[in-house]
Amino acid sequence: MHSIFNVLLDCYKGNDTINRITTSYNEIYPLLTKYFIEWLKKYSNNRDNSKLKNDVIYDLENKNDYIQSIIDFISGMTDNFALRIFDELTSF
């Protein structure tokens, strides 16, 4: 069984990380990938919406920033959402 952290860490590829998440895991883990990509687009330097007013927190060229984004994403999950992701990860 994969952990949420390991699934997302396996996708790291610098500024191409969002594309890699989409191509590698979107069909297998659609809920996880959808919300994590939204998180990255909102808080990283790899955003496609310049109308966002929030600060850039994560530089996707920096692997440590990406790791921190995973940790922050997981720690911000509600219990119900975490259970839904767990179900998605453990479904056959």
Side-chain angles (χ1 to χ4, degrees):
M1 178 178 80
H2 295 102
S3 72
I4 297 169
F5 181 84
N6 288 333
V7 166
L8 296 175
L9 185 60
D10 287 344
C11 293
Y12 181 73
K13 194 170 185 178
N15 279 331
D16 198 38
T17 299
I18 291 174
N19 184 48
R20 186 170 173 138
I21 293 169
T22 302
T23 58
S24 298
Y25 290 110
N26 194 45
E27 288 185 28
I28 303 168
Y29 309 121
L31 188 64
L32 174 62
T33 57
K34 176 186 180 218
Y35 286 101
F36 187 62
I37 288 170
E38 286 177 9
W39 175 269
L40 288 178
K41 286 181 177 180
K42 186 174 182 181
Y43 295 109
S44 77
N45 60 333
N46 194 351
R47 50 173 79 172
D48 58 0
N49 185 350
S50 60
K51 294 179 184 179
L52 294 174
K53 303 286 187 214
N54 55 294
D55 292 337
V56 171
I57 300 171
Y58 312 111
D59 177 1
L60 292 186
E61 282 297 314
N62 181 328
K63 190 170 184 177
N64 288 331
D65 277 7
Y66 180 69
I67 290 169
Q68 188 63 53
S69 74
I70 297 170
I71 293 167
D72 293 346
F73 176 73
I74 293 169
S75 67
M77 288 181 178
T78 63
D79 292 344
N80 287 334
F81 183 71
L83 289 170
R84 288 172 55 201
I85 296 297
F86 176 78
D87 286 342
E88 185 174 77
L89 291 172
T90 58
S91 296
F92 296 90

